[in-house]
Amino acid sequence: MEFNLSWILLGLPLAFGLGWLASRFDLRQIRFENQRAPKAYFKGLNYLLNEQQDQAIDAFIEAVQSDPDTSELHFALGNLFRRRGEYERAVRVHEHLLSRADLSQTDRHRAQHALALDFLKAGLLDRAEAALNKLEGTAFETEARLALLANYERSRDWVLAAEIAHKLERAQQGSFGQRLAHYLCEQAANDLAHKQPDAARARLQEAIATAPEAARARMALAQLQAGAGELAAAQQTLLDAMTHAPTAIPLMAAPLADIALRLGSVTQALARLQVVYEQSASLDVLEAIVRLSASTPAASMTDRDWYARHLEREPSLVAATRWMAGEKFQDEQFHPQVQRALDHAVKPLLRYRCAACGFEATQHFWQCPGCQTWDSYPARRVEEL
């Protein structure tokens, strides 16, 4: 068959035209998809600003389906799932990101951190610990260590918590001396629960050396000494604690009064508490003074005199209720009912309140049971705040 050059000349323009049409179609399709993805993204952002999380999730899913290679959309979607408490879906999103071979190292670390947060929020502490440990040496190292610290505190693993706290302090990420002292006090409490007083005493001494200004270790040591019959040493430990941690004196007043009464020598403790009270009036210090004064025959002031003096310094429903308990009224037959009502009314005023979250309790906590913050409870009662 004879080769005809004219067919080639006719075919070239046809091929060129078909290629041009195909390119126009592809460009139009790409332009349409690119316009569709930003539209869905901005729609999701608008829903977020209006706090419509369900609609925002739907919009972001649409955007991800249109452009599955966009990692930012995956991060936004995963964070939304976590905020809504849908931790399983958040985990799937972030694990999908980590499985991508084309993910940059920065985004890989970011996805690892997000995955660890998913596990923490879901309460999967073992998996969270493994995920956080993979962030050592990355830009998320500090955040990971802080999360690990909270994780170990939550699981009451004080040894590992102390290890992380030391790492953070060496990295100059803050001072963790007081927190380390709390960890030692927790371990000392465990030692006492297992009948190991010598080990507990050693830990408390270490805690005092770690944070001399912390009140808890000295108070715990005084309690241990008093339990062992070392009353003079316990009293001296509390007096030293009052010097090193003056803001916690209201917490020490009652145990100091107990030890002084057991020791049969109230003069030194009473004198110290009176000096402290003159400097800064406190209900707990006042109650301790009243108890010690009642055991002193030569006391110049009665219980009611002390409460009346406190009322002269500052208004206090608690002090007024205590003063009225010893008063004689014309209608004395109604006094018990009135006194019972007043005692009930002042109970909320005698609570302690967390300065971080507002959680109130009848006892003082070194770590808030509500928000897990350390040293967030002032030593003063609600009425005095």
Side-chain angles (χ1 to χ4, degrees), residues 11 27 43 98 118 154 169 175 243 300 305 314 323 371:
L27 287 172
K43 187 192 298 183
L98 287 170
D118 296 338
R154 187 176 173 184
E169 194 156 24
S175 176
T243 301
S300 59
D305 291 336
E314 55 186 72
W323 180 86
C371 63

Side-chain angles (χ1 to χ4, degrees), residues 137-154:
T138 71
F140 293 93
E141 181 180 71
T142 299
E143 291 89 338
R145 286 176 175 175
L146 289 171
L148 276 171
L149 189 65
N151 190 12
Y152 291 141
E153 287 181 357
R154 187 176 173 184

Side-chain angles (χ1 to χ4, degrees), residues 183-205:
Y183 298 161
L184 288 166
C185 290
E186 293 288 349
Q187 292 177 72
N190 291 335
D191 291 334
L192 286 175
H194 291 87
K195 310 297 183 184
Q196 297 175 328
D198 292 338
R201 189 184 295 256
R203 291 193 196 276
L204 292 174
Q205 294 286 5

